[in-house]
């Protein structure tokens, strides 16, 4: 089926800029889908009353930003793990290129003032996070430690007393969207060609 999709559709991309755009959109999707789906199911028929409430809107906006920043780092970590086997001996260069690509897309639009500190912290922390992951074998989306999980539970605009026993389903939804991200990444990109162009860009820069 994968062969037929490639035969009938566009060939997988090898372009780093395409990949950066994809990762940025996927990080946004993971955050938005996880947070909004849960909130809409939870408030049910009261959705309009909740979503029109200024306090709920402010809390929801904060949650979405916090999860967005962490999910962006998670999709970059997923990308690093996927591409690492194609860069033997040049893992550090792969890390540098992915961090730079991520920063290019993240800084295209400024965050709101109240999220600027978290925004800067997420960018600064990513190289160390990826370097730590590189000390072990690559994870896939099923086993990757997710940075988005703690802020998701900490900032969801539904009181913890109202979501008792729901942690597994919330966690499962986040993981499901990351698995979907990996599947789409594998469908849309050529890892060997992409990693070669990323490393070539590093060599050109030096």
């Amino acid at each position: 089926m994968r062969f037929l999709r490639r035969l009938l559709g566009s060939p997988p991309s090898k372009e780093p800029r395409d990949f950066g755009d994809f990762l940025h959109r996927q990080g946004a999707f993971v955050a938005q889908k996880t947070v909004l789906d849960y909130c809409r199911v939870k408030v049910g028929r009261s959705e309009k009353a909740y979503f029109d409430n200024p306090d709920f809107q402010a809390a929801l906006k904060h949650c979405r930003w916090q999860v967005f920043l962490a999910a962006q780092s998670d999709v970059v970590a997923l990308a690093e793990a996927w591409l690492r086997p194609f860069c033997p001996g040049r893992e550090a260069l792969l890390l540098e290129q992915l961090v730079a690509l991520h920063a290019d897309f993240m800084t295209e639009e400024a965050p709101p003032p109240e999220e600027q500190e978290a925004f800067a912290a997420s960018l600064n922390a990513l190289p160390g996070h990826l370097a730590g992951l590189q000390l072990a074998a690559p994870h896939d989306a099923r086993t990757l430690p997710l940075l988005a999980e703690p802020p998701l539970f900490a900032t969801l605009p539904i009181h913890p007393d109202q979501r008792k026993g729901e942690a597994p389903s919330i966690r499962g939804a986040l993981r499901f969207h990351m698995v979907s991200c990996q599947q789409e990444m594998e469908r849309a990109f050529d890892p060997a060609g992409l990693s070669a162009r990323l490393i070539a860009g590093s060599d050109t820069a030096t």
Side-chain angles (χ1 to χ4, degrees):
M1 290 301 297
R2 182 175 298 177
F3 171 77
L4 288 175
R5 285 195 297 268
R6 290 181 177 179
L7 182 65
L8 298 174
S10 301
S13 174
K14 304 175 183 179
E15 294 300 325
R17 293 297 299 180
D18 291 347
F19 195 55
D21 180 63
F22 168 83
L23 295 178
H24 191 67
R25 288 186 287 106
Q26 286 294 309
F29 174 80
V30 168
Q32 293 273 88
K33 188 72 172 167
T34 304
V35 172
L36 291 180
D37 279 3
Y38 175 76
C39 289
R40 283 173 174 149
V41 169
K42 193 65 180 176
V43 302
R45 294 181 179 179
S46 302
E47 178 178 336
K48 179 172 175 53
Y50 271 86
F51 279 74
D52 286 348
N53 183 289
D55 291 336
F56 183 82
Q57 277 288 346
L60 180 62
K61 180 181 178 182
H62 176 62
C63 176
R64 289 163 66 183
W65 264 101
Q66 291 291 304
V67 179
F68 166 76
L69 294 174
Q72 290 288 354
S73 295
D74 285 336
V75 297
V76 176
L78 187 64
E80 186 281 326
W82 186 53
L83 296 176
R84 195 193 312 171
F86 298 91
C87 306
R90 312 198 78 179
E91 295 86 354
L93 292 178
L94 173 66
L95 186 158
E96 291 174 4
Q97 289 299 94
L98 287 174
V99 167
L101 192 62
H102 172 69
D104 283 348
F105 281 89
M106 288 292 286
T107 53
E108 285 183 352
E109 184 176 352
E114 63 272 18
E115 304 295 346
Q116 286 180 355
E117 183 176 349
F119 178 86
S122 72
L123 292 181
N124 292 335
L126 183 59
H129 177 60
L130 295 182
L133 291 173
Q134 285 190 340
L135 297 176
H139 289 276
D140 64 15
R142 297 168 299 172
T143 61
L144 180 73
L146 297 182
L147 296 178
E149 188 175 310
L152 174 63
F153 282 97
T155 63
L156 269 175
I158 304 294
H159 195 277
D161 289 346
Q162 296 179 311
R163 42 185 165 98
K164 288 182 178 179
E166 296 177 352
S169 63
I170 297 170
R171 192 177 292 114
L174 176 63
R175 183 69 64 177
F176 173 80
H177 296 315
M178 287 298 297
V179 170
S180 296
C181 173
Q182 178 172 332
Q183 291 171 341
E184 185 64 18
M185 183 167 63
E186 292 172 350
R187 183 198 67 79
F189 292 92
D190 170 12
L194 175 61
S195 58
R197 293 193 180 190
L198 282 166
I199 296 302
S202 175
D203 291 338
T204 301
T206 56

